Amino acid sequence: MNKPLRRIAIFCGLLVLALLIRDNWIQYVQADSLQTREENRRVSIERYATPRGNIIVDGKAITGSVATEGTDFKYKRTWKNGEMWAPVTGYASQAVGATQLENLEDGILTGNDDRLFFRNTLDMMTGKKKEGGSVVTTLNAAAQKAAFDGLGDKKGAVAAIDPSTGAILALASTPSYDPSSFAGISSKDGETFTKLDKNKDKPMLNRALRETYPPGSTFKVVTAAAALENGKVDGIDERTDSPDPYQLPQSTTPLTNEHGDCENANLRYALMVSCNTVFAKLSDSVGNEGMIKQAEKFGFNNAELDTPVRAAESIYPEDNRPQNAMDGIGQASNRATPLQMAMVASAVANDGKLMKPYMVDQLRASNLDVIETHEPEELSQAVSGETAQKLQEMMETVVNDPQGTGGKAKISGVTVGGKTGTAQHGLNNSEKPYAWFISYAKTSDGGSPVAVAVVVEDGSANRDDISGGGLAGPIARDVMKAVIDSKK
Amino acid sequence: MSSTTNPSTHHTSTIGAIGAPSRRNTELALLVFAVVIPVFAYANVGLAINDEVPTGLLGYGLGLGLLAGVGHLVVRKFAAYADPLLLPLATLLNGLGLVIIWRLDQSERLQQLAKSAYGVFTPSAPKQLMFAAAGLALFVAVLVFLKDHRVLQRYTYISMAAAIVLLLLPLVPGLGADTFGAKIWIRIPGAGTIQPGEFAKIIIGIFFSGYLMVKRDALALASRRFMGLYLPRGRDLGPIITIWAVSLLILVFENDLGTSLLFFGMFVIMLYVATERTSWIVIGLLMSAAGAVGVASFAGHVQARVNAWLDPWSCYQDSDACFQIGQSIMAFGSGGVMGTGLGQGNSDLIGFAANSDFIFSTVGEEMGLAGVMAFLLLYGLIIERGVRTALAARDPFGKLFAIGLSGAFALQVFVVAGGVMGLIPLTGMTMPWLAAGGSSVIANWALIGILIRISDTARRPAPTPAANPDAEMTQVVRP
């Protein structure tokens, strides 16, 4: 009986061998993918096992962590003034996961980032508990508050940038939500999230970064830049050859103006009273290709603009002639995020140089050692310095001239340049228009500390009142003032 | 074939005549390790979970040491020539099993789960220590009262009846307990649940050995040759068909692939060893394949297990079977090569049965690839010692019994570990000694007792022959 016994011994050996091979497969070859599977609760257990690192604004934490009762998750995320900061931080919920900075910088916040590995190993040896690092943002608390308070109950968004670096100073979106309201794992947290998610006002939409609007008349700044760069006008004070009303090319539709005497108006006047006819004709004479090129230099048609939270793509499309003419006044198929329009204002203020917008200044370990610092990065030279000067002159006229549409943005002792916009939308312009305002401020030393774009989706009922200057202008002014005051 | 024609047994007995080493001191030295390692593991868990050496450490160490010491003394007295590895291996596995069960007792998650399901949480480790003591008592009883394993031959047919009754007990209404789909437990009021299959494993081994020893010539020789295989006569197919049918009944009505596979596999292995006919293996494989496919296409619960095995992720949210196997595989994966360290993993996410059916997942997560391989090798060593015992045994009954028990043990380890690692569909059996549950621990201690008894008989030197002046200096032939 010994021969079959030996074979059975080999068979038993093979059974054990099969187990050993399978074990190596799941514990070595597949280990990484099993560890990070979405079904694997250990990922979120780890995320909330230690107090999460904080997101910092102006040296103060705008987030926190509290110990919870739960067995799985030891700590829960909290936010200070969550509604105001939600468009910056995003949320980190035990029930539904994390978004925006909370998600993108999760490694630093939990302390699991590879760059913290050495430090963590040292801590482990010395018996110290692992701690999350912190994310230092570029935001300006006063500007953010001015933006959020200015929007108030209205639906809209504000984006403010430091033109010289691209640092984002304010990023507000209303209506907003408090991420603390669903940070936990209870069924109540889940219900709150579902309710917010289904709300038709979309409180969880980050309008400043992730929503595109027709830019309306604020786009005329880009059209003016294209006309100047392409030599379609001799100067900002030279008369243009513009009929009023203007017959759109290849079309029988006449385009008119809301107010002002726009026939053959010069560029400065046309921007000041926002002449549709002049800019539509200029856009047509620059041509679709030239307009796309200029828009792209300002940051349009970039699907990968990471701040590091990715902004929605602002679009200037290939269009036929009448559409392209209407694109020139921001009323056709071109669309822009509030951040994009703030970038336009910032490039003008920064002598034509467009800086890449960013909102994370530094990543720090728990002991405050700096792990990474953001270096300002030039995105493009949007227009020449000369053109930028002319655009500044024109935009400042919009604010300073008694006839200008942007008078409400004036700040005493500060030079302000701006442009209003009233973008119509909906079928046959049936819906309430969007009120826009983009502007920048220059201090006495000639530097420009802030450029801002404001959009208000639904103003009061009276159509004439929803001019960009009336609704959005004061918000832009308060934001700029807050930035300038905080620099003093 | 029989031992008298095997030259190697001649050598063994001849060497035995000049004094075979009993290896009891080797066993004692190994037992020290088998007690000390779990004690360290226990301290490790306490430090990891509560930052302090557990207060029960001394008691636990003494308890395990006492069990090991009693086992050793009984072996020394009643089975002096037994295999020296079996007892230390079993002690080590039982000790580590206790530590892991105690570790899972500390899990808040499992405590809350038990409270919400049953209203009360009772730790399993103290019970398990009691079961280990009971198992060792049975081990001692086997060695003390079973002086010669061949006595068991007398009970061949009684064993068959007993085994079938035990196997079918869970189907008796009012007695069987349905736990997580498998009906392989019986509930005795006041005494908890018993898994009769674990005991049936040993008892049916007696039947198979006795039966095959008598019938093996008929099964081996009366056959026709067909396509290179010796096909048995129709009437000789009776026993294998009976066992096959019982296995299928278990599979269909008790919903347990593991038990079913275990008994059929055990029978085929023993049949092959008894007859030396490869045709039995082929027939056995064909029958189990046919049975498995047939049952899987008719029985929904078996299909669910198979689907969970094929792709646990597609049905992870909807089906408990998929959830459990998915959780188990993620526990293994999360352990990685070195594991999280005892007490620091989250294998308790599996929920119910974390310390029984899925206890090996905790080994995987907390001791890593290294720990799991070590455990598999420990089990492999037990199997190897069992097969060696079968090889060394001098009587056909002992040979068959030893290989039957070792083969069943090997299949059980494969079916359970393969199940929790996603190698084969999951079944309701438990890792010998590791898993919480009295039946398994007690039955496996008895199994080791029997293997030790057979190995003692096999290795015991033959009585010294009367001094023969003619034979002096010339008879010793070393292999």
Side-chain angles (χ1 to χ4, degrees):
Chain A
M1 277 196 251
N2 282 354
K3 203 168 106 192
L5 277 179
R6 286 177 212 281
R7 289 200 181 136
I8 294 298
I10 291 171
F11 168 72
C12 291
L14 288 177
L15 288 185
V16 175
L17 184 68
L19 291 176
L20 289 172
I21 291 173
R22 173 68 184 178
D23 190 28
N24 275 275
W25 178 253
I26 58 173
Q27 293 209 270
Y28 181 72
V29 180
Q30 287 197 315
D32 279 344
S33 69
L34 285 170
Q35 274 158 25
T36 51
R37 277 200 83 87
E38 59 172 321
E39 291 93 346
N40 200 336
R41 211 171 151 82
R42 289 167 187 80
V43 177
S44 31
I45 290 176
E46 178 79 352
R47 180 182 277 162
Y48 300 107
T50 48
R52 197 169 164 78
N54 283 319
I55 296 177
I56 313 279
V57 170
D58 286 345
K60 286 190 204 114
I62 55 167
T63 56
S65 267
V66 286
T68 61
E69 304 276 295
T71 32
D72 277 7
F73 304 126
K74 300 278 177 239
Y75 293 91
K76 188 165 94 164
R77 187 52 139 185
T78 57
W79 287 262
K80 292 164 191 154
N81 210 342
E83 290 209 0
M84 180 167 104
W85 291 113
V88 177
T89 59
Y91 54 79
S93 159
Q94 296 170 351
V96 291
T99 58
Q100 299 206 71
L101 285 188
E102 294 280 11
N103 180 39
L104 292 167
E105 306 296 354
D106 193 51
I108 294 291
L109 293 170
T110 54
N112 290 333
D113 193 276
D114 285 345
R115 288 168 288 184
L116 297 172
F117 177 78
F118 182 66
R119 203 181 314 271
N120 285 343
T121 315
L122 268 184
D123 283 355
M124 204 165 74
M125 305 226 177
T126 54
K128 250 174 75 185
K129 279 227 162 115
K130 191 179 73 184
E131 283 181 75
S134 48
V135 174
V136 181
T137 67
T138 58
L139 278 106
N140 179 312
Q144 180 76 4
K145 185 166 171 14
F148 185 70
D149 292 350
L151 287 169
D153 298 334
K154 298 184 277 287
K155 214 191 268 188
V158 175
I161 306 178
D162 179 343
S164 59
T165 59
I168 293 176
L169 302 170
L171 203 64
S173 172
T174 54
S176 188
Y177 64 98
D178 185 359
S180 301
S181 63
F182 56 92
I185 187 75
S186 73
S187 54
K188 198 171 139 255
D189 291 291
E191 278 164 33
T192 310
F193 177 80
T194 318
K195 218 181 277 170
L196 285 168
D197 198 35
K198 295 212 169 122
N199 189 325
K200 64 177 171 35
D201 286 337
K202 298 191 196 158
M204 287 202 288
L205 174 66
N206 185 348
R207 292 176 163 80
L209 278 183
R210 303 286 313 157
E211 177 72 306
T212 60
Y213 298 93
S217 301
T218 56
F219 196 79
K220 287 170 183 164
V221 176
V222 179
T223 311
L228 287 165
E229 289 280 281
N230 289 291
K232 298 296 175 190
V233 286
D234 300 329
I236 58 171
D237 294 313
E238 312 290 323
R239 292 174 70 83
T240 56
D241 178 18
S242 327
D244 181 11
Y246 167 63
Q247 181 102 16
L248 286 175
Q250 302 166 340
S251 154
T252 51
T253 319
L255 182 67
T256 56
N257 296 303
E258 298 273 330
H259 34 234
D261 177 15
C262 290
E263 190 169 348
N264 300 333
N266 66 32
L267 210 51
R268 188 197 293 266
Y269 180 83
L271 196 74
M272 184 175 80
V273 300
S274 203
C275 293
N276 292 335
T277 49
V278 175
F279 287 98
K281 182 155 188 297
L282 281 175
S283 179
D284 184 53
S285 54
V286 171
N288 188 233
E289 203 179 315
M291 286 300 290
I292 289 178
K293 226 165 154 185
Q294 184 60 58
E296 284 180 355
K297 281 189 188 167
F298 275 112
F300 280 78
N301 296 348
N302 179 357
E304 292 177 2
L305 184 65
D306 296 333
T307 68
V309 179
R310 180 159 291 184
E313 184 182 5
S314 299
I315 294 165
Y316 194 101
E318 284 181 25
D319 258 335
N320 56 23
R321 274 187 73 191
Q323 281 287 321
N324 181 59
M326 290 298 282
D327 284 334
I329 60 167
Q331 284 290 191
S333 38
N334 52 343
R335 297 182 73 84
T337 59
L339 178 75
Q340 172 60 60
M341 292 320 290
M343 286 161 70
V344 169
S346 83
V348 171
N350 195 35
D351 292 333
K353 194 188 282 178
L354 176 63
M355 302 303 288
K356 186 177 176 206
Y358 68 98
M359 57 175 150
V360 174
D361 190 31
Q362 281 185 340
L363 301 178
R364 290 188 187 157
S366 52
N367 62 358
L368 302 185
D369 279 2
V370 175
I371 296 166
E372 190 185 302
T373 303
H374 182 91
E375 295 295 334
E377 206 178 311
E378 187 184 327
L379 211 54
S380 68
Q381 183 73 37
V383 289
S384 68
E386 203 185 332
T387 306
Q389 287 299 329
K390 289 177 183 161
L391 291 170
Q392 283 179 23
E393 262 186 61
M394 286 157 59
M395 286 175 74
E396 282 155 25
T397 311
V398 172
V399 174
N400 294 327
D401 194 284
Q403 272 185 279
T405 50
K408 295 222 168 127
K410 260 186 221 167
I411 305 172
S412 64
V414 180
T415 314
V416 174
K419 179 71 194 87
T420 56
T422 309
Q424 297 174 329
H425 71 117
L427 205 60
N428 295 324
N429 300 334
S430 53
E431 289 177 46
K432 283 179 199 163
Y434 299 128
W436 273 96
F437 195 78
I438 64 172
S439 64
Y440 61 85
K442 271 198 301 194
T443 45
S444 47
D445 60 8
S448 168
V450 57
V452 60
V454 177
V455 64
V456 178
E457 281 187 28
D458 53 347
S460 51
N462 191 331
R463 173 164 224 124
D464 290 341
D465 286 350
I466 311 175
S467 66
L471 269 174
I475 303 175
R477 178 197 60 211
D478 291 348
V479 172
M480 291 188 293
K481 196 160 180 305
V483 173
I484 292 164
D485 288 349
S486 67
K487 297 256 158 137
K488 278 176 188 165
Chain B
M1 297 295 281
S2 73
S3 57
T4 46
T5 59
N6 190 324
S8 68
T9 26
H10 270 302
H11 292 301
T12 312
S13 52
T14 319
I15 290 170
I18 59 163
S22 74
R23 298 277 184 213
R24 289 283 67 78
N25 292 334
T26 313
E27 181 182 84
L28 185 59
L30 288 173
L31 270 176
V32 171
F33 283 102
V35 172
V36 168
I37 292 172
V39 167
F40 273 109
Y42 188 52
N44 185 347
V45 173
L47 286 170
I49 295 182
N50 303 323
D51 286 330
E52 58 183 25
V53 175
T55 46
L57 186 70
L58 190 67
Y60 170 76
L62 288 176
L64 193 65
L66 190 70
L67 289 182
V70 168
H72 173 71
L73 289 177
V74 170
V75 171
R76 204 176 261 273
K77 174 86 172 66
F78 293 98
Y81 290 90
D83 190 292
L85 273 173
L86 287 169
L87 181 62
L89 284 169
T91 309
L92 178 60
L93 286 169
N94 201 349
L96 288 174
L98 276 164
V99 169
I100 297 172
I101 291 165
W102 185 75
R103 178 258 173 276
L104 290 171
D105 278 347
Q106 313 303 308
S107 153
E108 280 181 50
R109 222 172 261 142
L110 294 177
Q111 290 174 8
Q112 288 192 350
L113 191 65
K115 274 179 200 151
S116 68
Y118 309 119
V120 62
F121 166 78
T122 41
S124 304
K127 273 195 280 179
Q128 187 73 3
L129 190 61
M130 219 177 65
F131 290 139
L136 200 92
L138 189 58
F139 170 85
V140 168
V142 166
L143 289 182
V144 172
F145 296 110
L146 186 65
K147 296 273 191 245
D148 186 340
H149 58 268
R150 280 167 292 197
V151 173
L152 295 173
Q153 284 178 57
R154 292 181 205 154
Y155 305 108
T156 299
Y157 290 94
I158 293 176
S159 301
M160 177 191 73
I164 288 181
V165 167
L166 279 177
L167 279 176
L168 300 182
L169 265 185
L171 294 179
V172 176
L175 201 55
D178 187 333
T179 316
F180 313 118
K183 300 189 194 81
I184 52 175
W185 287 268
I186 55 173
R187 190 184 302 280
I188 294 174
T193 54
I194 293 180
Q195 209 175 340
E198 292 281 357
F199 297 99
K201 180 172 75 182
I202 298 171
I203 295 173
I204 211 165
I206 300 173
F207 162 63
F208 287 163
S209 312
Y211 172 80
L212 290 171
M213 192 188 74
V214 176
K215 295 281 174 149
R216 68 195 183 100
D217 286 338
L219 291 170
L221 302 176
S223 55
R224 281 161 293 163
R225 204 178 154 84
F226 176 71
M227 284 175 68
L229 287 176
Y230 290 95
L231 290 185
R233 294 177 301 183
R235 64 183 124 147
D236 293 331
L237 281 172
I240 193 170
I241 288 176
T242 310
I243 303 296
W244 182 67
V246 171
S247 302
L248 286 189
L249 279 179
I250 295 170
L251 183 55
V252 173
F253 292 106
E254 300 187 6
N255 183 17
D256 192 55
L257 182 69
T259 314
S260 171
L261 205 81
L262 182 72
F263 289 106
F264 192 61
M266 181 179 178
F267 183 68
V268 171
I269 286 175
M270 292 173 75
L271 193 55
Y272 170 61
V273 171
T275 60
E276 301 192 30
R277 286 274 182 258
T278 321
S279 54
W280 284 115
I281 300 255
V282 175
I283 291 169
L285 285 177
L286 287 177
M287 286 171 81
S288 43
V293 170
V295 171
S297 46
F298 289 113
H301 46 249
V302 179
Q303 270 171 359
R305 290 276 175 108
V306 173
N307 289 339
W309 165 63
L310 288 174
D311 184 7
W313 309 117
S314 63
C315 49
Y316 184 78
Q317 306 289 351
D318 320 315
S319 140
D320 279 351
C322 300
F323 173 82
Q324 285 187 322
I325 185 69
Q327 280 287 4
S328 175
I329 292 178
M330 284 191 291
F332 275 96
S334 302
V337 174
M338 298 306 293
T340 58
L342 278 171
Q344 296 171 55
N346 287 301
S347 55
D348 47 0
L349 283 171
I350 292 174
F352 291 108
N355 69 1
S356 53
D357 293 21
F358 291 97
I359 196 162
F360 211 48
S361 314
T362 299
V363 176
E365 178 160 359
E366 305 203 333
M367 299 166 98
L369 177 63
V372 171
M373 298 224 291
F375 268 91
L376 289 175
L377 292 178
L378 289 179
Y379 283 113
L381 267 177
I382 291 186
I383 298 162
E384 190 264 345
R385 294 323 292 175
V387 175
R388 279 225 53 92
T389 300
L391 274 169
R394 281 172 269 190
D395 64 299
F397 178 80
K399 267 184 182 317
L400 283 170
F401 200 16
I403 195 65
L405 293 179
S406 332
F409 191 86
L411 284 173
Q412 182 168 357
V413 169
F414 177 75
V415 161
V416 180
V420 295
M421 292 198 289
L423 182 61
I424 55 168
L426 196 64
T427 70
M429 304 198 73
T430 52
M431 266 335 238
W433 289 295
L434 281 192
S439 316
S440 169
V441 170
I442 295 170
N444 282 304
W445 271 113
L447 184 148
I448 285 294
I450 293 168
L451 283 179
I452 281 186
R453 165 56 64 220
I454 299 175
S455 74
D456 172 59
T457 316
R459 295 179 75 246
R460 186 176 288 276
T464 321
N468 181 348
D470 298 339
E472 133 182 275
M473 304 304 289
T474 54
Q475 291 299 307
V476 174
V477 179
R478 289 186 187 277

